[in-house]
Amino acid sequence: MDALPALTRMVGDLAPTFGADYWSTKPYVYESRGDAQRFDDLFSADAVDELVTSRGIRTPFMRMATEGTVLAQKSYTAPGGFGAEVGDQVSSEKVLAEFAGGATIVLQGLHRTWPPLVEFTRRLTDDLGHPAQVNAYITPASSRGFDPHYDVHDVFVLQISGEKQWRIHRPVHVDPLRDQPWSDHRAAVAAEASGAAHIDRVLQPGDVLYLPRGWIHSAEALGGTSVHLTIGIAAYTRADVASTLLEVIGKTPALRGSLPLGIDFSDPAEVQPIVEQVLESLRAALAVPDDRSTAARQVQSVGAALARRLATDVKPEPVSPLATVDAIAALSATSRVRWRGSLRARVEDAGETVRILAGTKVLALPAEAASAVRALAGGAPTAVGALPGLDTDSAIVVVRRLLREGLVVPA
């Protein structure tokens, strides 16, 4: 089985070396070589019409734009009518009028609303180790949705139908963070975009473009309606490691003390000695510990904090409430279960118990269940009666609890 199935689907045989050769450093174009339907199971023009006409989507899951200007919501939404008295449901008639007039449709958050992309994005997140989200851009012929700009996240562009010409320019602000949008460098972006493009390429159905954050881009539909997916990757950065490390060491006694009563923050004479004291405490705390066990604990604390953040940012495989309750009721030695897909959890021994830490959830089970839990965490579907270290009755009790807590699912 391919170790990077979702990434391989986008960049082909390059996947094993993609991280070293392209990730976060330079753009890449993968040509489908005539395989125009290779993403049809993920999304299509018919899917756009279905979402607009019969899924009852509301803002902010859709927006529209013309030549870089986002349209007012009332121009493409309307009340839902009897039984759905909300004022911001997408109106297919209004969407038609704006789209026929040259406006781009943007369907947002498809990794939460369109089942094939829910699953694909989950697997891609497993491959990359960073959060991902998916939008679709539907652009009328010869129209441009947005002016040249850069994103503060990496993107993969999957051309679904039609053709789109992409013009890519080098960054004017390398590796922008989330609070450093392109509008902060509007003049520099416009100046760079007026020159010769680093890449000027027409994407055809099945093609993929990868853009690291900060690379300036604009796109124009050619000949007919263009549909493409933009998969945004909110990559964690070394700045995230630094801020997490500061959070960890900020809990040390030297930094927990209150500031003086009545301090005047506008007076440099009052603030300066406090800043100097804090900097000295930070220097001491940030020094590489001579004690290896202390250094290891520091690394573990930072890693655990970032793991918790990732578990919060990325949703694991959805659970089916009705099917799970039925599975619990019918559970037997022959029932097969598996670890919930993309569940980021840690299993650790804790004296007389084994603990499962999954985000904010902590589940403690008797220590004799440790081997069974670790076997399930390996990911392979397993019959309840075949779990190691437990008799059948105990295994049923343990699996029933794991099902109820959403840690395993019926296989």
Side-chain angles (χ1 to χ4, degrees):
M1 181 180 293
D2 196 320
L4 300 167
L7 182 61
T8 297
R9 184 165 183 187
M10 294 193 299
V11 302
D13 295 338
L14 181 69
T17 61
F18 182 82
D21 295 342
Y22 292 95
W23 175 250
S24 81
T25 58
K26 56 186 178 182
Y28 174 74
V29 178
Y30 179 88
E31 296 181 354
S32 65
R33 298 179 177 85
D35 189 6
Q37 288 80 42
R38 70 192 195 96
F39 296 128
D40 281 3
D41 60 315
L42 296 181
F43 203 65
S44 64
D46 288 342
V48 176
D49 279 340
E50 180 178 337
L51 284 161
V52 170
T53 61
S54 59
R55 289 296 184 108
I57 61 172
R58 302 169 59 188
T59 57
F61 286 102
M62 179 173 158
R63 59 183 173 132
M64 300 191 74
T66 301
E67 296 297 326
T69 301
V70 177
L71 303 185
Q73 292 181 6
K74 64 181 180 181
S75 67
Y76 56 89
T77 62
F82 178 72
E85 290 85 356
V86 293
D88 63 345
Q89 277 196 322
V90 169
S91 164
S92 58
E93 294 91 345
K94 288 187 173 182
V95 172
L96 170 60
E98 296 292 352
F99 185 70
T104 290
I105 299 170
V106 184
L107 294 167
Q108 303 188 131
L110 291 173
H111 61 295
R112 300 296 298 156
T113 61
W114 190 248
L117 288 173
V118 172
E119 178 65 12
F120 179 77
T121 309
R122 180 179 70 78
R123 293 183 181 277
L124 181 61
T125 299
D126 287 348
D127 289 354
L128 301 179
H130 300 276
Q133 58 92 32
V134 184
N135 294 344
Y137 292 80
I138 303 91
T139 309
S142 304
S143 293
R144 187 181 69 194
F146 295 92
D147 290 334
H149 64 285
Y150 68 72
D151 293 321
V152 294
H153 50 264
D154 295 49
V155 298
F156 289 93
V157 175
L158 279 59
Q159 189 68 29
I160 301 299
S161 64
E163 297 182 347
K164 206 160 194 178
Q165 184 170 13
W166 287 79
R167 296 180 176 89
I168 313 300
H169 294 80
R170 293 184 179 277
V172 297
H173 184 64
V174 177
D175 291 338
L177 299 176
R178 296 185 196 183
D179 60 352
Q180 298 174 324
W182 76 272
S183 53
D184 290 351
H185 304 272
R186 190 182 299 272
V189 167
E192 177 66 25
S194 67
H198 177 71
I199 293 176
D200 191 337
R201 185 74 64 90
V202 174
L203 293 191
Q204 299 184 359
D207 290 350
V208 175
L209 167 67
Y210 166 71
L211 284 178
R213 57 195 163 100
W215 282 75
I216 299 166
H217 55 278
S218 61
E220 181 179 353
L222 303 176
T225 298
S226 165
V227 179
H228 80 260
L229 297 175
T230 293
I231 303 176
I233 313 298
Y236 292 166
T237 68
R238 286 168 175 78
D240 292 311
V241 175
S243 61
T244 303
L245 182 58
L246 288 175
E247 290 177 9
V248 171
I249 67 175
K251 298 175 183 178
T252 60
L255 294 168
R256 293 204 305 263
S258 300
L259 297 181
L261 188 68
I263 183 172
D264 182 0
F265 292 109
S266 64
D267 183 355
E270 291 192 40
V271 176
Q272 181 176 346
I274 295 172
V275 171
E276 291 174 350
Q277 292 167 9
V278 170
L279 285 174
E280 184 57 37
S281 297
L282 286 174
R283 290 189 190 98
L286 288 170
V288 178
D290 294 330
D291 180 4
R292 289 188 177 182
S293 62
T294 301
R297 286 196 300 271
Q298 192 176 75
V299 170
Q300 186 177 24
S301 296
V302 172
L306 287 170
R308 287 192 297 271
R309 176 176 164 183
L310 183 62
T312 300
D313 287 346
V314 177
K315 299 294 184 184
E317 174 189 7
V319 295
S320 302
L322 275 63
T324 301
V325 168
D326 288 345
I328 291 172
L331 201 63
S332 69
T334 59
S335 301
R336 291 172 62 80
V337 295
R338 60 174 174 81
W339 202 249
R340 185 178 174 187
S342 302
L343 181 68
R344 289 164 176 80
R346 189 169 78 254
V347 180
E348 62 182 29
D349 296 317
E352 296 182 354
T353 65
V354 56
R355 296 199 306 169
I356 306 170
L357 297 86
T360 58
K361 182 190 292 289
V362 179
L363 177 64
L365 296 171
E368 53 265 29
S371 296
V373 169
R374 287 193 167 88
L376 287 168
T382 306
V384 174
L387 289 172
L390 297 172
D391 58 46
T392 299
D393 289 342
S394 298
I396 289 174
V397 171
V398 168
V399 171
R400 185 179 292 129
R401 181 73 185 282
L402 295 173
L403 283 165
R404 190 177 185 87
E405 296 290 340
L407 299 173
V408 302
V409 295

